[in-house]
Amino acid sequence: KNEILVSAGANQGIKTGEAAIIIPDSSTSSSPIFIGKIERVFENVSQVETIFDSRFQSAVRIGKSGINALLKGGDEPELSLIPKDANIAQGDVVYSASPDLPYGLAIGSVNNIRISSNQLFQEADVETSYNPNELQSLLIITNYHAP
C-alpha cells in the first residue's frame, strides 16, 4: 500500500511530482482525496508514493481554521508539529498545503490526538475513509502548476 503502479507514464503526459487522487464513490463525500504523488515515471507506467510510505512527508493544514502541521507517512500516517495550543478536534479534516501540490485536497481526518514526547507539540493519527488495499483506480492531476 505504500507504492502503487499505474498504467500511465511519460507517453501519456505523466510527470514526477504530480498528485494522485481518488474520487470516493460514497454518498458521504464526492470531493477528491489525495493519496500520494508520482515518484517515478516510465514510458507507459508510473509509480505513486502514497501517504502510507514511511518516506512520505508533506505540509498540511487541519480543520476550518487551517492549523499547520506536518504529515508523516507510514502504515498509520501521523500528524506532527501541531502547535501545543492549537484547537484541533477528532474528525477535523486534514488538507494538502504543500506548495508543490494542489492546495486543499482532503487527505483524511484527525484521530487519536496526543501531546508529543518532548511535550512541545501535539500529534495525531490520520484516519482515511478508504482501504488502500482495495483501490481499483485513481486519477493523476496533470494540469497543476506550482506558484
Side-chain angles (χ1 to χ4, degrees), residues 125-139:
D125 296 332
V126 176
E127 186 174 307
T128 59
S129 60
Y130 60 92
N131 181 340
N133 296 319
E134 295 178 2
L135 292 177
Q136 297 291 317
S137 64
L138 53 84
L139 302 172

Side-chain angles (χ1 to χ4, degrees), residues 1-3 50-56 72-78 125-128 130-133:
K1 68 181 181 179
N2 62 327
E3 294 177 342
T50 73
I51 64 168
F52 301 101
D53 190 310
S54 60
R55 298 170 297 148
F56 187 90
K72 293 174 160 182
D75 286 337
E76 296 183 22
E78 294 182 325
D125 296 332
V126 176
E127 186 174 307
T128 59
Y130 60 92
N131 181 340
N133 296 319

Side-chain angles (χ1 to χ4, degrees), residues 24-31 33 129:
D25 56 358
S26 69
S27 60
T28 58
S29 172
S30 60
S31 299
I33 298 173
S129 60

